[in-house]
C-alpha cells in the first residue's frame, strides 16, 4: 500500500509485475533494510510522478528520522535539489562541489552538468 504496487491479488509473484511495480518492490525492500547507509542510483527512473514524489519523500524521511546516510545519484537536477543537503556534480571525469542546494544558483549547477 505504501508504494501503490498494483497486483492482481496478494499471491502474484514479483516476477509477473510490470516494470514500474517491480521498481516499487525493489525500492521498498531496500528502504526497509537500509539501517546505516543507502545508495540510490536513479531511484525514480521509469516511475510515475506521484510514485516518484513518494519515493523521494520516503528517502528523505528515512535519512532524517533514522539517521541513514544517503548517496543519491541522479541525472535530474530538479530531483537532486529536492532531496539533497549537499550536491556534487560529476562531469567529464571531474568532481565539482560541494554545493549547498539552498543557496547555489541552479544555473551554476546546470552549467557544470553540461561541461
Amino acid at each position: 500500500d505504501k508504494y501503490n504496487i498494483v497486483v492482481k491479488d496478494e499471491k502474484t509473484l514479483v516476477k509477473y509485475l510490470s516494470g514500474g511495480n517491480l521498481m516499487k518492490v525493489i525500492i521498498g525492500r531496500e528502504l526497509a533494510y537500509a539501517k546505516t547507509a543507502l545508495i540510490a542510483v536513479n531511484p525514480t527512473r521509469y516511475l510515475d510522478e506521484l510514485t516518484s514524489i513518494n519515493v523521494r519523500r520516503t528517502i528523505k524521511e528515512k535519512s532524517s528520522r533514522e539517521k541513514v546516510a544517503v548517496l543519491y545519484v541522479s541525472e535530474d537536477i530538479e530531483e537532486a535539489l529536492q532531496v539533497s543537503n549537499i550536491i556534487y556534480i560529476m562531469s567529464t571525469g571531474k568532481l565539482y562541489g560541494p554545493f549547498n542546494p539552498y543557496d547555489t544558483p541552479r544555473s551554476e549547477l546546470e552549467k557544470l552538468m553540461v561541461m
Side-chain angles (χ1 to χ4, degrees), residues 31-68:
L31 285 169
Y33 288 115
K35 301 300 179 207
T36 58
L38 174 69
I39 299 173
V41 179
N42 294 316
T44 61
R45 183 182 283 173
Y46 306 120
L47 296 178
D48 61 85
E49 186 60 29
L50 185 60
T51 304
S52 295
I53 291 167
N54 186 31
V55 167
R56 287 191 295 270
R57 184 182 67 245
T58 304
I59 290 173
K60 198 160 176 99
E61 286 173 358
K62 183 168 188 80
S63 174
S64 63
R65 186 179 61 249
E66 299 177 28
K67 306 300 182 213
V68 172

Side-chain angles (χ1 to χ4, degrees), residues 33-115:
Y33 288 115
K35 301 300 179 207
T36 58
L38 174 69
I39 299 173
V41 179
N42 294 316
T44 61
R45 183 182 283 173
Y46 306 120
L47 296 178
D48 61 85
E49 186 60 29
L50 185 60
T51 304
S52 295
I53 291 167
N54 186 31
V55 167
R56 287 191 295 270
R57 184 182 67 245
T58 304
I59 290 173
K60 198 160 176 99
E61 286 173 358
K62 183 168 188 80
S63 174
S64 63
R65 186 179 61 249
E66 299 177 28
K67 306 300 182 213
V68 172
V70 177
L71 174 59
Y72 198 100
V73 180
S74 179
E75 298 170 5
D76 181 345
I77 187 67
E78 189 62 39
E79 185 172 73
L81 288 167
Q82 289 175 10
V83 301
S84 302
N85 295 321
I86 299 170
I87 292 180
Y88 285 86
I89 304 288
M90 184 177 284
S91 180
T92 62
K94 295 179 183 169
L95 190 63
Y96 303 94
F99 300 101
N100 181 329
Y102 306 108
D103 63 13
T104 304
R106 180 187 174 120
S107 59
E108 183 180 336
L109 299 174
E110 290 172 338
K111 185 175 134 185
L112 289 170
M113 290 176 71
V114 294
M115 290 181 66

Side-chain angles (χ1 to χ4, degrees), residues 6-52:
V6 179
V7 293
K8 185 174 138 183
D9 61 47
E10 60 196 37
K11 295 182 182 189
T12 301
L13 298 176
V14 171
K15 69 181 181 179
Y16 295 119
L17 296 178
S18 68
N21 283 307
L22 179 59
M23 286 291 295
K24 294 176 195 179
V25 168
I26 292 168
I27 290 166
R29 179 193 65 196
E30 295 305 311
L31 285 169
Y33 288 115
K35 301 300 179 207
T36 58
L38 174 69
I39 299 173
V41 179
N42 294 316
T44 61
R45 183 182 283 173
Y46 306 120
L47 296 178
D48 61 85
E49 186 60 29
L50 185 60
T51 304
S52 295

